[in-house]
Amino acid sequence: MNPGTSGTFIGMPAFPRAARDAVRDTTLRDNLRHATHTIRDKRAKAVAELADWQELREAGKQIKDHTLRHLDHYLEQLEESVTAAGGIVHWAADATEANRIVTDLVKATGESEVVKVKSMATQEIGLNEALAAEGIHAYETDLAELIVQLGDDRPSHILVPAIHRNRGEIRAIFRERMGSWGRPAPDGLTDEPADLAEAARLHLREKFLRAKVGISGANFMIAETGTLVVFESEGNGRMCLTLPDTLISVVGIEKTIPTWRDLEVFLQTLPRSSTAERMNPYTSMWTGTADGDGPRTFHLVLLDNGRTDALADDVGRQALRCIRCSACLNVCPVYERAGGHAYGSVYPGPIGAILTPQLRGTASEIDASLPYASSLCGACYEVCPVAIDIPEVLVHLREKVAGQGGHPWEKAAMKAAAWAMDHPAAMAAGERLTARTRALHPKRPPGASAWTDSRDLPQLPAEPFRDWWRKNRT
């Protein structure tokens, strides 16, 4: 099921319905529980090694906030730096424009296939589908993305797109589908990780050596020098970034940072927060083009696609600090049980619940439901390496959804609460009546089963606090 140009997975229901189906899949829940617990435990140990973690976290927050406040200046500086280094910069207001630019660039080379580095931005705009519509085959080279592509599946995690698959399922996908995409899986393929990785390596090598066009995203863009940076663990990214004659990078405008010195902070925080490593195995950096070294032509497509709208929101803009580490997904009790597909977006989990509705708006049923895909426990905020207060933004977006009539029951409840708080005498009388009749109250109020099936209603006190205070304050 593919995303359209808006990034919405076509046919996906709102989160509550999608999550209800997902939690019934015991295999999915077992896969998610094992993977998320393993990753978050390793991350906690890696972070604990740094005595100055909180200072690094604050530094990352301040760097990103400063950049976002002056984004117009740094984007212009970035364009000048990339151009001076031999690159060509394109500006894309939305997904449609970005897809057109990239498709035209690939067609201009005369090639009909491209190799891709894992990229959330290209998934967001549905680039693979746009290229396919023009007869261009896009091959994912990240192992997890390859699994998703071969399985005609959708990514369910920011860092580990195939987190919902176990080794047996991956083996079956490789045996059944690799042959139709290129080199088939070896005979006698087992589900051992080393054997699966070797099958992927052999399958991809012919594509690396043949491809003339590579497509990537970037983790960071340094305005000072025009340098782009990709963090990865497998080496496939470096093959895509260095072997093709033409490299096209599609990057969200919020990935800009001012200077090389700023990168130092994220070199420490991103690997530990994502893969629980002190340093990621491959950090690739490129600045424009150079004779005899790497691609001869470099294009940078700067993608807006709703980011300026998010930037205009004083509370919501902090979502643009995100460095896509996925730490918030690995600690989220909702994500652990529902999985990434239930969010109906390439950005799942807590960060997706606040980023997606800002990029796409809340007009659709699924986007209006995303701010409610959380228990507001706050675990996501505690692990975020750039201190995004996700619960604050969730509540802020819920207010917006309620204001547009997305949840009539909530709007009515808020109006009733506001009236009661404006009339203290009426509120006091209601409290006393409620306390005196508490023995008659049902344990499960009619129509509230979605809440009470997994929660107990608090026991009402024998008297309101204000009456107790009046008696005991002296």
Side-chain angles (χ1 to χ4, degrees):
M1 194 175 296
N2 297 321
T5 55
S6 67
T8 303
F9 287 112
I10 298 170
M12 282 295 297
F15 181 85
R17 293 201 300 278
R20 189 179 302 119
D21 294 336
V23 296
R24 295 191 182 108
D25 186 335
T26 55
T27 300
L28 172 65
R29 291 188 63 174
D30 287 344
N31 293 346
L32 288 170
R33 184 184 305 109
H34 173 74
T36 56
H37 282 238
T38 299
I39 296 171
R40 76 191 193 197
D41 290 346
K42 288 181 177 179
R43 176 205 167 274
K45 293 176 183 177
V47 166
E49 293 177 350
L50 295 181
D52 62 344
W53 177 259
Q54 291 304 326
E55 288 80 3
L56 286 167
R57 187 176 186 240
E58 180 62 24
K61 171 186 175 181
Q62 291 190 18
I63 290 168
K64 295 292 281 186
D65 279 350
H66 167 79
T67 310
L68 291 171
R69 283 196 302 271
H70 304 282
L71 191 56
D72 54 343
H73 164 73
Y74 288 117
L75 285 173
E76 289 179 356
Q77 183 183 12
L78 176 69
E79 181 181 31
E80 292 172 2
S81 299
V82 170
T83 303
I88 304 166
V89 177
H90 309 262
W91 298 80
D94 55 26
T96 301
E97 188 172 7
N99 287 331
R100 177 185 57 75
I101 291 169
V102 176
T103 301
D104 288 349
L105 290 174
V106 176
K107 290 169 71 174
T109 68
E111 297 295 319
S112 61
E113 62 181 31
V114 301
V115 288
K116 288 185 66 205
V117 187
K118 179 180 181 298
S119 163
M120 301 298 295
T122 59
Q123 291 174 5
E124 175 189 328
I125 63 177
L127 179 60
N128 287 10
E129 293 72 33
L131 291 172
E134 296 293 328
I136 300 167
H137 299 283
Y139 296 110
E140 298 289 351
T141 64
D142 174 82
L143 177 56
E145 289 288 358
L146 174 66
I147 295 165
V148 169
Q149 186 174 52
L150 291 178
D152 193 24
D153 200 352
R154 291 177 286 115
S156 64
H157 192 276
I158 289 176
L159 180 68
V160 194
I163 196 171
H164 56 290
R165 297 290 194 183
N166 59 39
R167 295 187 307 180
E169 291 172 317
I170 295 169
R171 172 180 175 270
I173 290 170
F174 280 9
R175 292 186 63 183
E176 294 169 11
R177 300 300 302 276
M178 266 188 173
S180 60
W181 284 76
R183 179 169 178 159
D187 293 334
L189 178 66
T190 74
D191 65 357
E192 289 299 313
D195 290 344
L196 295 173
E198 178 67 5
R201 186 186 71 82
L202 294 172
H203 177 81
L204 290 171
R205 179 165 291 275
E206 64 177 19
K207 292 179 169 50
F208 289 137
L209 296 177
R210 186 176 67 230
K212 299 298 182 183
V213 180
I215 295 178
S216 82
N219 293 99
F220 303 99
M221 301 183 290
I222 303 172
E224 179 181 44
T225 58
T227 303
L228 274 71
V229 186
V230 163
F231 290 34
E232 51 143 341
S233 298
E234 300 168 14
N236 64 294
R238 187 159 295 177
M239 300 285 278
C240 292
L241 296 168
T242 57
L243 293 180
D245 294 331
T246 300
L247 174 61
I248 305 168
S249 298
V250 182
V251 191
I253 54 177
E254 83 282 10
K255 296 296 186 71
T256 308
I257 58 174
T259 69
W260 267 98
R261 186 174 182 178
D262 297 322
L263 184 63
E264 175 191 1
V265 172
F266 303 109
L267 282 167
Q268 297 178 75
T269 57
L270 180 52
R272 291 174 190 269
S273 288
S274 56
T275 55
E277 295 169 301
R278 296 182 181 93
M279 183 175 181
N280 48 291
Y282 296 88
T283 303
S284 299
M285 306 179 187
W286 68 100
T287 307
T289 58
D291 292 338
D293 182 18
R296 294 196 297 268
T297 306
F298 169 55
H299 296 273
L300 171 60
V301 181
L302 293 172
L303 177 68
D304 188 325
N305 204 38
R307 286 158 175 80
T308 346
D309 293 336
L311 190 61
D313 188 322
D314 290 342
V315 177
R317 71 173 58 150
Q318 58 186 296
L320 297 178
R321 288 186 213 143
C322 178
I323 57 175
R324 308 292 191 268
C325 71
S326 76
C328 62
L329 281 70
N330 300 324
V331 299
C332 177
V334 176
Y335 175 85
E336 180 186 326
R337 288 157 179 81
H341 291 162
Y343 293 81
S345 165
V346 298
Y347 302 111
I351 187 61
I354 65 170
L355 182 61
T356 301
Q358 293 191 86
L359 296 183
R360 302 195 307 211
T362 54
S364 71
E365 184 183 8
I366 187 167
D367 292 323
S369 73
L370 288 177
Y372 297 85
S374 170
S375 65
L376 299 181
C377 69
C380 50
Y381 170 64
E382 295 300 324
V383 298
C384 178
V386 286
I388 301 171
D389 193 341
I390 293 177
E392 178 188 31
V393 183
L394 285 168
V395 173
H396 171 67
L397 292 174
R398 290 180 185 187
E399 182 182 0
K400 283 190 171 183
V401 171
Q404 69 186 24
H407 290 269
W409 58 266
E410 184 177 47
K411 194 171 183 180
M414 291 301 103
K415 282 185 176 180
W419 182 90
M421 291 180 183
D422 282 341
H423 298 79
M427 187 169 181
E431 289 172 348
R432 293 189 185 100
L433 179 62
T434 302
R436 289 169 185 167
T437 59
R438 60 183 185 144
L440 304 176
H441 297 171
K443 293 183 178 180
R444 293 192 173 190
S449 61
W451 178 268
T452 58
D453 281 349
S454 57
R455 301 171 181 85
D456 293 327
L457 287 175
Q459 187 174 3
L460 288 168
E463 62 180 341
F465 175 76
R466 71 177 73 217
D467 291 349
W468 179 92
W469 179 256
R470 191 177 296 111
K471 294 177 185 174
N472 295 280
R473 62 181 176 178
T474 57

